Amino acid sequence: QVQVLESGGGLVQAGGSLRLSCTTSGLTFDDYAMGWFRQAPGKEREGVSSLKWDGAWIYYADSVKGRFTISRDNAKNMLYLQMNSLKPEDTAMYYCAAGRQWSTGGGLPAQGVDYWGQGTQVTVSS
């Protein structure tokens, strides 16, 4: 049984930082592209950042470029998202995802995700 579990969310003031972590089990981690998606109330789920199995290809949404950094440790089956200079508009539920598809311009597409985590809430106060 595949499990995907996020941690690290919380409440932070604007300008602050958080580091999200995602651990997986039951899958061959380095067979998958991994990514972070987020969904704010009343909005569609959007891709935040993703990277291929070897980290050679990385995607960032324009809204987070220069502020967020994605990384993975294949030896530990872990995915990370370092979020700096957080803004109130970053407030959302953040989901870890694993999939085998990749879009050159968009990274791991939502329709290509095989496994989703349950999400971790990030709230940025102004």
Side-chain angles (χ1 to χ4, degrees), residues 94-109:
Y94 283 71
Y95 298 90
C96 178
R100 296 177 187 262
Q101 295 186 24
W102 188 264
S103 168
T104 301
L108 174 64

Side-chain angles (χ1 to χ4, degrees), residues 84-117:
N84 299 329
S85 302
L86 282 161
K87 303 176 181 181
E89 51 264 42
D90 294 318
T91 295
M93 186 71 78
Y94 283 71
Y95 298 90
C96 178
R100 296 177 187 262
Q101 295 186 24
W102 188 264
S103 168
T104 301
L108 174 64
Q111 64 269 27
V113 172
D114 296 310
Y115 304 105
W116 293 97

